[in-house]
Amino acid sequence: MKPPPLRNDCFAMPPGVDWTPVDDALAALRSGLATVVGVTDCPVSEAGGRILAEEVAARRAHPPFANSAVDGYGFAHASIPADGVVNLPLAEGRAAAGDPHSGRVPASHAIRILTGARIPEGVDTIVLEEDTTTDGTRISFRTGIRAGANTRPAGEDVGKGARMLGRGRRLRPQDLALLAACGVDAVPVFERLRVAVMSTGDEIAEVGSESGAPGAIFDANRPMLCDLLRRWGFRVVDLGHVPDDRDRIRETLDAGATGADAIFSSGGASAGDEDHVSAILEGEGALSTWRVAIKPGRPLAMALWRDVPVFGLPGNPVAAFVCALIFARPALGVLAGGKWEEPAAYEVPAGFTKRKKPGRREYLRARIDSSGRAVPFGSEGSGRISGLSWSEGLVELEDGALDLAEGDPVRFLPYSGFGI
Ligand code: AMP
Ligand code: MG
């Protein structure tokens, strides 16, 4: 018997197999998915991270009335000379935020006015306190001030009825400020997407459990994936850990399809003897994408199980993480009512050299060094979870062949751009 030639690259494509390029797999996902969750009303104070189900318009203008941008003195611009020094008697009273001046300020008079105060009738311009002198009955300042200076006209920021935020927007803290300022106290949002998470593998044990010693591998994927999902604003349905047993995997997928809108599994997604997840999904679950040309993460099974999307992630934690970021995140965003979100990417100089063959996209765990260059983790070994923890983002290497020199531009995808 003649053994097959040794392959020094364990991710090389088997001859004759067509691998789906990452972009094709993403395009298929993007075109095949739609929102699966209902709509509910949510108070604005609790709406951070939720996804708007409808466009929201301003109930009132912002600011709702003309007010002062500074502490100073208000007057009618038409009543001051074009040059020289201005000298105006002070009118009775003052205007403060929440304590408006009710009367009209007579022409050629000034009134004390504080930041945020409604601008009284007879006033259209405000001079900064620091630019004036006063004896308590008059103020004086150098002219040259522009008409309307230091005022905030009503609606200068947002007009009443203006469209503010669109359907599909994931609300951020600053959006809540905008909504509240414009009188919106509750918004229609999509129900939180429920994502079920299960780990598979006979060798896998829950960390801390007695069964963990000594031959077991602690389940690193479930804590990681559950936290990812929570950070993305989803509700986690923890399905626990399942041994490599088809009936148990089938039952657990059923439980996921009943109690969740999408399922994450990890492990058993390849084509080996114990790769039951991919086997079940292929046999019974409308497996759509499997051989995606990506490293790390080659065994990635994307399928439907009882009409519920399943992301059959690789067991290797590094690969599971990368596939979750690249494929599951934008897909889950669409299921949850959001937009398909591309990760933020920056072109930075490479702080390393790299040669790669054509045929698959590669992601390196990386950081940006103090001179702004991307540096990868010391080992590309996909079992190295320490590098995952060390890294602050991914360097994305294109599908084609590459002979990268130091200083060449590379794409860096910071984890912050993935919402983590
Ligand atoms: P598999 O995809 O099931 O062939 O697993 C690939 C590698 O990842 C194996 O070395 C597994 O032991 C490991 N692995 C699978 N699931 C997990 C998990 N939940 N946590 C940590 N390692 C895992
Ligand atoms: Mg396994």
Side-chain angles (χ1 to χ4, degrees), residues 32-315:
L33 297 176
T35 304
V36 295
V37 283
V39 176
T40 179
D41 261 347
C42 181
V44 159
S45 57
E46 284 158 37
R50 304 298 296 267
I51 299 171
L52 270 188
E54 280 167 34
E55 184 177 78
V56 178
R59 290 230 181 102
R60 68 165 5 187
H62 181 257
F65 48 81
N67 68 88
S68 176
V70 297
D71 287 354
Y73 298 90
F75 54 88
H77 192 264
S79 67
I80 62 167
D83 34 48
V85 169
V86 186
N87 225 302
L88 296 175
L90 280 174
E92 280 292 308
R94 70 171 202 160
D99 184 15
H101 178 77
S102 45
R104 186 183 176 87
V105 177
S108 300
H109 281 65
I111 188 159
R112 178 77 174 133
I113 189 164
L114 301 178
T115 305
R118 182 191 279 268
I119 293 178
E121 270 186 80
V123 170
D124 61 13
T125 303
I126 297 161
V127 60
L128 257 179
E129 180 175 326
E130 293 89 317
D131 293 343
T132 65
T133 52
T134 179
D135 61 3
T137 62
R138 310 182 64 83
I139 59 159
S140 134
F141 57 95
R142 266 178 205 292
T143 195
I145 190 167
R146 158 185 76 74
N150 298 315
T151 64
R152 302 170 180 149
E156 75 162 355
D157 186 22
V158 185
K160 182 176 177 183
R163 299 164 169 190
M164 294 192 292
L165 301 169
R167 176 190 160 100
R169 184 181 185 97
R170 189 182 294 273
L171 294 172
R172 302 167 304 159
Q174 55 272 46
D175 299 328
L176 306 190
L178 176 65
L179 290 165
C182 295
V184 178
D185 59 339
V187 283
V189 297
F190 288 108
E191 302 271 10
R192 275 187 204 279
L193 189 80
R194 299 160 305 163
V195 186
V197 182
M198 71 165 175
S199 298
T200 70
D202 284 343
E203 78 284 26
I204 303 300
E206 181 108 17
V207 63
S209 64
E210 290 305 315
S211 62
I217 296 293
F218 289 130
D219 188 348
N221 287 341
R222 222 150 28 94
M224 171 177 75
L225 296 174
C226 290
D227 188 47
L228 261 184
L229 293 164
R230 287 192 200 101
R231 283 167 188 253
W232 291 339
F234 306 134
R235 186 165 289 151
V236 169
V237 179
D238 191 344
L239 297 175
H241 155 250
V242 193
D244 288 316
D245 172 301
R246 290 204 185 186
D247 290 337
R248 294 283 307 278
I249 292 173
R250 208 178 275 115
E251 272 166 29
T252 311
L253 286 172
D254 282 347
T258 308
D261 308 300
I263 301 172
F264 269 15
S265 73
S266 72
S270 200
D273 298 348
E274 294 295 336
D275 288 320
H276 303 293
V277 174
S278 47
I280 293 175
L281 291 176
E282 192 173 31
E284 306 160 43
L287 185 78
S288 53
T289 319
W290 184 14
R291 295 186 172 92
V292 180
I294 179 174
K295 177 193 172 183
R298 197 175 80 182
L300 168 69
M302 289 183 271
L304 287 178
W305 185 263
R306 302 187 188 284
D307 294 333
V308 171
V310 182
F311 296 84
L313 301 168

